[in-house]
Amino acid sequence: MTMPAVTPPAAAAAGGPAGSRDERPPGEPRRIGYLYLAPAFLVFAAFVLAPLLHALWISLFNWDGLTLATWAGLHNYTQVFADPALRHAFLHGLILLLFYAGLPLLIGLLLAGLMARARVRGLALFRAVLFLPQVIAMVVVASMWRMIYDPENGALNKLLRGVGLGGLAKDWLGDFNWALPSVGLVGTWVYFGLVMVLLTAGVQKIPSSLYDAARVDGAGLVREFFAVTLPALRGEIAVALTLTTIYALRNFDLVYITTKGGPGDSTSVPAYQVYDRAFQTGAVGSAAAIGITLAVIIFAITFVINRLGER
Amino acid sequence: VKKISRALAALTLMGVVAACGATPGADTAKKTATPAATTTATATSGTPAPAATPDISKAGDVTLTVWDQEVRGGQNKEMTQLNAAFQAKYPNVKIKRVAKSFEDLQTTLKLAVSGPKAPDVVEANQGRPIMGSLVKAGLLKPLTSYEQTYGWDSRYSSLLLDLNKFSSDGKDFGSGDLYGLSQMGEIVGVYYNKDKVPTPPTTLDDFEAQLAAAKAAGDVPIQFGNLEKWPGIHEYESVLGQVADKQAVRDFVFAKPGASFDNPEFTAAATLITDWVKKGYFNKGFNGTGYDPATANFTKGKSQFLIAGTWQTATIDEKMGEKAGFMLMPGKDPASPVSLGGESLPFAITSAAKNPDVAAAYIDFITNPDAAKVLVDTDNLPAMKGAPAPTSGLSIQVADAWQKLNAADGVIPYLDYTTPTFYDDISAAIQKLMGGKDSPQQFTAGVQGAYDKWAKSR
């Protein structure tokens, strides 16, 4: 890496005050700006860009992590869509989006809408309590919910039996249909507080004159929400969705601790497959390909969300 | 501006080249090419006459880095004691112990052994996923010459040695060179509650009758927690050992030619265990119950039986005391028991070990008759032949069962050793089988498919 040493003088010479007198239209950033960028860029390149490119390179091979790899071309990527186990994992990831991003947003909006209407006393405390799940380490959350979901001694089934709804008691994490929603609901529990805090913060900056105007025009609770609150929260919603989408798709710890992808493969998600293939079954190339695909999907979804949010 | 962005582009490109560089794995391949060749040379030159035991006290100052996963209660105790004793015997050797949990070791071992600062002695789990891959990559030293020097072949029963063997290309499991030695024996057997089962069943028919009686009395016959996915392997294979021929199971795990999973015997075992599920012989919702909660339910007297490994002996003994009993899974003939079992993770020597003689002496030291005594004193089950019997607690029954099982040559190895991905394949398949999602036929055919996929790429 001798280039960085060369770059600064060149930048200084070209972008220095002497050389930049008249070539540059007003407002055009000066070339010396690149010099300021360099340190951050170098750190980024060393710790993010290089590993990313390295992963991209590995994803083109069949590699067990130990012996000499063989060239696979794009086979690992076609497998992402051709291998039913991986297709299911990605499908589960998308379903979890509803629980991680969709439901928290709905709950958050509902609470924010209510708070816009009436200024709640002790709001700070209320917010802090709902935000608490965010503060607890995911490992703790997952272990706790494992206990809650235990079919015999778990709190959930005991509660259901206690109120006479024993018929609804289930083998939550062991049922082929219920395991994924059960894992998803833990995500909802963790993230709705985050979404709510973002949205209530947004609500507070909406000028109250808008609400007064709406009320003068005879708008009810619902009308007020759709005409004033929702449009004003567009930016906050975009931020909330971006964050929760990323959490949803990179979700690993929750699945690892609660179900290990089971029963069968009904809660297997891409991030779990990455771990499993890279560290357990010696399919490092495939793991890298899944990771890259996941990154691309996350990027695409957040890009769309932000485009819609900025409109 | 153009010049600078070109410079930046060049910089980025350099980054790309630096990041990608050579084919993944080229480093390891280069590094191990020569050592592998030399070890074979020494191995062959050592074969004619078994060399005398190397004198470790004359080896100079040596630091031996050991990675193990013996972190639980009694295991940690025996490891600490034996390490201290070894260092006291050879003051010139310093042991640098790196203790990790089982899962931690499994995930980091390959990276560590292939890295620049590889440890000297590691616990490399049996089977193709770990030991097989390391042997294939030339990262472990064959111990055949040491086996002769120290007489290890007479220290263990032959199956226990086979479990730690691979051909030098890593292709054949269960034969070839010895790559490690284990300290402890393991059996997956049946714990029972003496209050509820005064006379333990001795045959499979008796056992089923007892299960039916328990169910009829409103009790939970077998407590089972399969949330972690792997416990199902123990449940299915315990039954499999009584229904199928033990050699057929061994041949399948060792991937011998002609061995298969999709055969009538293996399907019959699957049918039998699904029958047990249908008859309510297991607690409801076992796929969603954790392994430890299930054990806790058993110790609290919530079931008659628990199918579990001998690693649970200490826990169960502590909670239940005299009320707990242990037996091998009852089969067709009480005189020739068959049980899922094996041995703890084997200690192996890495190719990078600077002083393999010292490493081998260490492995000998922690598995010799004196070590067996330490193992018994610390509530462990020694895998070696002729180990002293424990004098108190549930361990007496466990040690007794181990002796009986080995005398009858009845150990069948864990199915998940079979292929690098078999742990995932079989554990998910058993959850589907016992959860009622797959029929026994779909189960054996599906598992066979996963096996064939690997066999083809072998």
PDB file of all heavy atoms in Angstrom, chain B residues 330-359:
ATOM      1  N   PRO B 330     -33.108 -51.787  26.566  1.00  0.00           N
ATOM      2  CA  PRO B 330     -33.430 -53.214  26.476  1.00  0.00           C
ATOM      3  C   PRO B 330     -33.624 -53.626  25.015  1.00  0.00           C
ATOM      4  O   PRO B 330     -34.240 -52.901  24.248  1.00  0.00           O
ATOM      5  CB  PRO B 330     -34.749 -53.343  27.240  1.00  0.00           C
ATOM      6  CG  PRO B 330     -34.904 -52.075  27.994  1.00  0.00           C
ATOM      7  CD  PRO B 330     -34.163 -51.026  27.257  1.00  0.00           C
ATOM      8  N   GLY B 331     -33.070 -54.789  24.670  1.00  0.00           N
ATOM      9  CA  GLY B 331     -33.163 -55.250  23.282  1.00  0.00           C
ATOM     10  C   GLY B 331     -33.792 -56.620  23.197  1.00  0.00           C
ATOM     11  O   GLY B 331     -34.524 -57.047  24.100  1.00  0.00           O
ATOM     12  N   LYS B 332     -33.486 -57.309  22.110  1.00  0.00           N
ATOM     13  CA  LYS B 332     -34.093 -58.626  21.917  1.00  0.00           C
ATOM     14  C   LYS B 332     -33.504 -59.635  22.874  1.00  0.00           C
ATOM     15  O   LYS B 332     -34.200 -60.464  23.432  1.00  0.00           O
ATOM     16  CB  LYS B 332     -33.886 -59.079  20.472  1.00  0.00           C
ATOM     17  CG  LYS B 332     -34.849 -58.354  19.540  1.00  0.00           C
ATOM     18  CD  LYS B 332     -34.692 -58.784  18.096  1.00  0.00           C
ATOM     19  CE  LYS B 332     -35.603 -57.941  17.214  1.00  0.00           C
ATOM     20  NZ  LYS B 332     -34.919 -57.367  16.067  1.00  0.00           N
ATOM     21  N   ASP B 333     -32.178 -59.556  23.054  1.00  0.00           N
ATOM     22  CA  ASP B 333     -31.496 -60.551  23.879  1.00  0.00           C
ATOM     23  C   ASP B 333     -30.696 -59.838  24.974  1.00  0.00           C
ATOM     24  O   ASP B 333     -29.744 -59.125  24.665  1.00  0.00           O
ATOM     25  CB  ASP B 333     -30.563 -61.379  22.978  1.00  0.00           C
ATOM     26  CG  ASP B 333     -29.773 -62.395  23.779  1.00  0.00           C
ATOM     27  OD1 ASP B 333     -30.075 -62.570  24.983  1.00  0.00           O
ATOM     28  OD2 ASP B 333     -28.861 -63.000  23.196  1.00  0.00           O
ATOM     29  N   PRO B 334     -31.085 -60.017  26.234  1.00  0.00           N
ATOM     30  CA  PRO B 334     -30.385 -59.324  27.317  1.00  0.00           C
ATOM     31  C   PRO B 334     -28.908 -59.686  27.385  1.00  0.00           C
ATOM     32  O   PRO B 334     -28.102 -58.924  27.926  1.00  0.00           O
ATOM     33  CB  PRO B 334     -31.108 -59.805  28.583  1.00  0.00           C
ATOM     34  CG  PRO B 334     -32.379 -60.411  28.128  1.00  0.00           C
ATOM     35  CD  PRO B 334     -32.179 -60.874  26.718  1.00  0.00           C
ATOM     36  N   ALA B 335     -28.529 -60.841  26.823  1.00  0.00           N
ATOM     37  CA  ALA B 335     -27.142 -61.277  26.902  1.00  0.00           C
ATOM     38  C   ALA B 335     -26.251 -60.548  25.900  1.00  0.00           C
ATOM     39  O   ALA B 335     -25.043 -60.493  26.068  1.00  0.00           O
ATOM     40  CB  ALA B 335     -27.050 -62.777  26.669  1.00  0.00           C
ATOM     41  N   SER B 336     -26.851 -59.999  24.819  1.00  0.00           N
ATOM     42  CA  SER B 336     -26.019 -59.252  23.871  1.00  0.00           C
ATOM     43  C   SER B 336     -26.610 -57.861  23.625  1.00  0.00           C
ATOM     44  O   SER B 336     -27.265 -57.624  22.629  1.00  0.00           O
ATOM     45  CB  SER B 336     -25.871 -60.018  22.561  1.00  0.00           C
ATOM     46  OG  SER B 336     -27.147 -60.305  22.041  1.00  0.00           O
ATOM     47  N   PRO B 337     -26.377 -56.972  24.587  1.00  0.00           N
ATOM     48  CA  PRO B 337     -26.944 -55.627  24.473  1.00  0.00           C
ATOM     49  C   PRO B 337     -26.291 -54.817  23.358  1.00  0.00           C
ATOM     50  O   PRO B 337     -25.112 -55.005  23.063  1.00  0.00           O
ATOM     51  CB  PRO B 337     -26.626 -55.006  25.838  1.00  0.00           C
ATOM     52  CG  PRO B 337     -25.427 -55.737  26.315  1.00  0.00           C
ATOM     53  CD  PRO B 337     -25.533 -57.125  25.767  1.00  0.00           C
ATOM     54  N   VAL B 338     -27.094 -53.951  22.748  1.00  0.00           N
ATOM     55  CA  VAL B 338     -26.590 -53.011  21.748  1.00  0.00           C
ATOM     56  C   VAL B 338     -27.014 -51.630  22.198  1.00  0.00           C
ATOM     57  O   VAL B 338     -28.156 -51.426  22.596  1.00  0.00           O
ATOM     58  CB  VAL B 338     -27.180 -53.295  20.348  1.00  0.00           C
ATOM     59  CG1 VAL B 338     -26.708 -52.256  19.353  1.00  0.00           C
ATOM     60  CG2 VAL B 338     -26.799 -54.686  19.878  1.00  0.00           C
ATOM     61  N   SER B 339     -26.084 -50.701  22.169  1.00  0.00           N
ATOM     62  CA  SER B 339     -26.460 -49.360  22.587  1.00  0.00           C
ATOM     63  C   SER B 339     -25.661 -48.314  21.832  1.00  0.00           C
ATOM     64  O   SER B 339     -24.495 -48.515  21.490  1.00  0.00           O
ATOM     65  CB  SER B 339     -26.223 -49.192  24.083  1.00  0.00           C
ATOM     66  OG  SER B 339     -26.487 -47.869  24.449  1.00  0.00           O
ATOM     67  N   LEU B 340     -26.318 -47.200  21.582  1.00  0.00           N
ATOM     68  CA  LEU B 340     -25.647 -46.055  21.015  1.00  0.00           C
ATOM     69  C   LEU B 340     -24.613 -45.599  22.029  1.00  0.00           C
ATOM     70  O   LEU B 340     -24.881 -45.516  23.220  1.00  0.00           O
ATOM     71  CB  LEU B 340     -26.671 -44.954  20.767  1.00  0.00           C
ATOM     72  CG  LEU B 340     -26.131 -43.599  20.345  1.00  0.00           C
ATOM     73  CD1 LEU B 340     -25.354 -43.722  19.058  1.00  0.00           C
ATOM     74  CD2 LEU B 340     -27.273 -42.621  20.170  1.00  0.00           C
ATOM     75  N   GLY B 341     -23.424 -45.366  21.553  1.00  0.00           N
ATOM     76  CA  GLY B 341     -22.389 -44.928  22.481  1.00  0.00           C
ATOM     77  C   GLY B 341     -21.117 -44.580  21.742  1.00  0.00           C
ATOM     78  O   GLY B 341     -21.098 -44.438  20.521  1.00  0.00           O
ATOM     79  N   GLY B 342     -20.070 -44.487  22.501  1.00  0.00           N
ATOM     80  CA  GLY B 342     -18.804 -44.139  21.888  1.00  0.00           C
ATOM     81  C   GLY B 342     -17.871 -43.607  22.928  1.00  0.00           C
ATOM     82  O   GLY B 342     -17.827 -44.112  24.044  1.00  0.00           O
ATOM     83  N   GLU B 343     -17.170 -42.567  22.555  1.00  0.00           N
ATOM     84  CA  GLU B 343     -16.166 -42.057  23.468  1.00  0.00           C
ATOM     85  C   GLU B 343     -16.093 -40.548  23.315  1.00  0.00           C
ATOM     86  O   GLU B 343     -16.579 -39.991  22.341  1.00  0.00           O
ATOM     87  CB  GLU B 343     -14.822 -42.705  23.158  1.00  0.00           C
ATOM     88  CG  GLU B 343     -14.473 -42.623  21.691  1.00  0.00           C
ATOM     89  CD  GLU B 343     -13.363 -43.574  21.293  1.00  0.00           C
ATOM     90  OE1 GLU B 343     -12.582 -43.939  22.171  1.00  0.00           O
ATOM     91  OE2 GLU B 343     -13.279 -43.917  20.109  1.00  0.00           O
ATOM     92  N   SER B 344     -15.490 -39.911  24.301  1.00  0.00           N
ATOM     93  CA  SER B 344     -15.396 -38.458  24.282  1.00  0.00           C
ATOM     94  C   SER B 344     -14.498 -38.013  23.130  1.00  0.00           C
ATOM     95  O   SER B 344     -13.902 -38.832  22.445  1.00  0.00           O
ATOM     96  CB  SER B 344     -14.840 -37.969  25.606  1.00  0.00           C
ATOM     97  OG  SER B 344     -13.556 -38.512  25.822  1.00  0.00           O
ATOM     98  N   LEU B 345     -14.398 -36.726  22.934  1.00  0.00           N
ATOM     99  CA  LEU B 345     -13.604 -36.210  21.820  1.00  0.00           C
ATOM    100  C   LEU B 345     -12.153 -36.661  21.953  1.00  0.00           C
ATOM    101  O   LEU B 345     -11.571 -36.578  23.030  1.00  0.00           O
ATOM    102  CB  LEU B 345     -13.658 -34.678  21.793  1.00  0.00           C
ATOM    103  CG  LEU B 345     -14.842 -34.051  21.065  1.00  0.00           C
ATOM    104  CD1 LEU B 345     -16.115 -34.270  21.845  1.00  0.00           C
ATOM    105  CD2 LEU B 345     -14.613 -32.575  20.840  1.00  0.00           C
ATOM    106  N   PRO B 346     -11.562 -37.148  20.854  1.00  0.00           N
ATOM    107  CA  PRO B 346     -10.184 -37.639  20.935  1.00  0.00           C
ATOM    108  C   PRO B 346      -9.164 -36.504  20.938  1.00  0.00           C
ATOM    109  O   PRO B 346      -9.341 -35.488  20.268  1.00  0.00           O
ATOM    110  CB  PRO B 346     -10.041 -38.463  19.655  1.00  0.00           C
ATOM    111  CG  PRO B 346     -11.018 -37.879  18.704  1.00  0.00           C
ATOM    112  CD  PRO B 346     -12.157 -37.340  19.530  1.00  0.00           C
ATOM    113  N   PHE B 347      -8.101 -36.703  21.703  1.00  0.00           N
ATOM    114  CA  PHE B 347      -6.981 -35.773  21.682  1.00  0.00           C
ATOM    115  C   PHE B 347      -6.090 -36.142  20.506  1.00  0.00           C
ATOM    116  O   PHE B 347      -5.642 -37.281  20.395  1.00  0.00           O
ATOM    117  CB  PHE B 347      -6.193 -35.863  22.988  1.00  0.00           C
ATOM    118  CG  PHE B 347      -6.892 -35.187  24.141  1.00  0.00           C
ATOM    119  CD1 PHE B 347      -7.865 -35.845  24.871  1.00  0.00           C
ATOM    120  CD2 PHE B 347      -6.577 -33.880  24.480  1.00  0.00           C
ATOM    121  CE1 PHE B 347      -8.516 -35.220  25.926  1.00  0.00           C
ATOM    122  CE2 PHE B 347      -7.212 -33.244  25.539  1.00  0.00           C
ATOM    123  CZ  PHE B 347      -8.178 -33.912  26.258  1.00  0.00           C
ATOM    124  N   ALA B 348      -5.834 -35.180  19.635  1.00  0.00           N
ATOM    125  CA  ALA B 348      -5.049 -35.429  18.435  1.00  0.00           C
ATOM    126  C   ALA B 348      -3.867 -34.465  18.396  1.00  0.00           C
ATOM    127  O   ALA B 348      -3.872 -33.434  19.069  1.00  0.00           O
ATOM    128  CB  ALA B 348      -5.922 -35.238  17.203  1.00  0.00           C
ATOM    129  N   ILE B 349      -2.863 -34.821  17.599  1.00  0.00           N
ATOM    130  CA  ILE B 349      -1.684 -33.962  17.462  1.00  0.00           C
ATOM    131  C   ILE B 349      -1.742 -33.265  16.109  1.00  0.00           C
ATOM    132  O   ILE B 349      -1.968 -33.907  15.085  1.00  0.00           O
ATOM    133  CB  ILE B 349      -0.385 -34.785  17.565  1.00  0.00           C
ATOM    134  CG1 ILE B 349      -0.363 -35.551  18.893  1.00  0.00           C
ATOM    135  CG2 ILE B 349       0.833 -33.890  17.441  1.00  0.00           C
ATOM    136  CD1 ILE B 349       0.856 -36.443  19.058  1.00  0.00           C
ATOM    137  N   THR B 350      -1.574 -31.958  16.090  1.00  0.00           N
ATOM    138  CA  THR B 350      -1.622 -31.232  14.829  1.00  0.00           C
ATOM    139  C   THR B 350      -0.302 -31.410  14.077  1.00  0.00           C
ATOM    140  O   THR B 350       0.748 -31.647  14.676  1.00  0.00           O
ATOM    141  CB  THR B 350      -1.858 -29.733  15.056  1.00  0.00           C
ATOM    142  OG1 THR B 350      -0.745 -29.212  15.806  1.00  0.00           O
ATOM    143  CG2 THR B 350      -3.133 -29.493  15.832  1.00  0.00           C
ATOM    144  N   SER B 351      -0.373 -31.265  12.744  1.00  0.00           N
ATOM    145  CA  SER B 351       0.845 -31.361  11.936  1.00  0.00           C
ATOM    146  C   SER B 351       1.806 -30.237  12.281  1.00  0.00           C
ATOM    147  O   SER B 351       3.001 -30.337  12.071  1.00  0.00           O
ATOM    148  CB  SER B 351       0.495 -31.272  10.453  1.00  0.00           C
ATOM    149  OG  SER B 351      -0.426 -32.260  10.128  1.00  0.00           O
ATOM    150  N   ALA B 352       1.263 -29.135  12.800  1.00  0.00           N
ATOM    151  CA  ALA B 352       2.102 -27.985  13.120  1.00  0.00           C
ATOM    152  C   ALA B 352       2.805 -28.135  14.465  1.00  0.00           C
ATOM    153  O   ALA B 352       3.647 -27.316  14.799  1.00  0.00           O
ATOM    154  CB  ALA B 352       1.251 -26.721  13.130  1.00  0.00           C
ATOM    155  N   ALA B 353       2.480 -29.177  15.227  1.00  0.00           N
ATOM    156  CA  ALA B 353       3.082 -29.342  16.550  1.00  0.00           C
ATOM    157  C   ALA B 353       4.596 -29.384  16.429  1.00  0.00           C
ATOM    158  O   ALA B 353       5.147 -30.140  15.632  1.00  0.00           O
ATOM    159  CB  ALA B 353       2.568 -30.623  17.199  1.00  0.00           C
ATOM    160  N   LYS B 354       5.277 -28.540  17.215  1.00  0.00           N
ATOM    161  CA  LYS B 354       6.728 -28.447  17.087  1.00  0.00           C
ATOM    162  C   LYS B 354       7.406 -29.648  17.733  1.00  0.00           C
ATOM    163  O   LYS B 354       8.486 -30.038  17.358  1.00  0.00           O
ATOM    164  CB  LYS B 354       7.210 -27.137  17.715  1.00  0.00           C
ATOM    165  CG  LYS B 354       7.080 -25.961  16.758  1.00  0.00           C
ATOM    166  CD  LYS B 354       7.288 -24.661  17.492  1.00  0.00           C
ATOM    167  CE  LYS B 354       6.112 -23.738  17.570  1.00  0.00           C
ATOM    168  NZ  LYS B 354       4.897 -24.013  18.229  1.00  0.00           N
ATOM    169  N   ASN B 355       6.740 -30.214  18.737  1.00  0.00           N
ATOM    170  CA  ASN B 355       7.375 -31.306  19.454  1.00  0.00           C
ATOM    171  C   ASN B 355       6.427 -32.501  19.593  1.00  0.00           C
ATOM    172  O   ASN B 355       5.897 -32.761  20.675  1.00  0.00           O
ATOM    173  CB  ASN B 355       7.796 -30.800  20.842  1.00  0.00           C
ATOM    174  CG  ASN B 355       9.170 -31.315  21.196  1.00  0.00           C
ATOM    175  OD1 ASN B 355       9.441 -32.498  20.957  1.00  0.00           O
ATOM    176  ND2 ASN B 355      10.005 -30.462  21.749  1.00  0.00           N
ATOM    177  N   PRO B 356       6.190 -33.211  18.484  1.00  0.00           N
ATOM    178  CA  PRO B 356       5.181 -34.273  18.502  1.00  0.00           C
ATOM    179  C   PRO B 356       5.455 -35.356  19.551  1.00  0.00           C
ATOM    180  O   PRO B 356       4.507 -35.926  20.095  1.00  0.00           O
ATOM    181  CB  PRO B 356       5.233 -34.856  17.089  1.00  0.00           C
ATOM    182  CG  PRO B 356       6.416 -34.275  16.432  1.00  0.00           C
ATOM    183  CD  PRO B 356       6.805 -33.040  17.155  1.00  0.00           C
ATOM    184  N   ASP B 357       6.738 -35.608  19.860  1.00  0.00           N
ATOM    185  CA  ASP B 357       7.037 -36.641  20.860  1.00  0.00           C
ATOM    186  C   ASP B 357       6.467 -36.261  22.219  1.00  0.00           C
ATOM    187  O   ASP B 357       5.898 -37.103  22.934  1.00  0.00           O
ATOM    188  CB  ASP B 357       8.558 -36.838  20.991  1.00  0.00           C
ATOM    189  CG  ASP B 357       9.116 -37.634  19.820  1.00  0.00           C
ATOM    190  OD1 ASP B 357       8.287 -38.138  19.021  1.00  0.00           O
ATOM    191  OD2 ASP B 357      10.342 -37.737  19.707  1.00  0.00           O
ATOM    192  N   VAL B 358       6.618 -34.989  22.576  1.00  0.00           N
ATOM    193  CA  VAL B 358       6.093 -34.518  23.854  1.00  0.00           C
ATOM    194  C   VAL B 358       4.567 -34.596  23.833  1.00  0.00           C
ATOM    195  O   VAL B 358       3.938 -35.027  24.800  1.00  0.00           O
ATOM    196  CB  VAL B 358       6.566 -33.076  24.145  1.00  0.00           C
ATOM    197  CG1 VAL B 358       5.943 -32.561  25.426  1.00  0.00           C
ATOM    198  CG2 VAL B 358       8.077 -33.030  24.223  1.00  0.00           C
ATOM    199  N   ALA B 359       3.984 -34.194  22.679  1.00  0.00           N
ATOM    200  CA  ALA B 359       2.528 -34.232  22.550  1.00  0.00           C
ATOM    201  C   ALA B 359       2.014 -35.662  22.720  1.00  0.00           C
ATOM    202  O   ALA B 359       1.021 -35.903  23.417  1.00  0.00           O
ATOM    203  CB  ALA B 359       2.108 -33.660  21.201  1.00  0.00           C
TER     204      ALA B 359
END
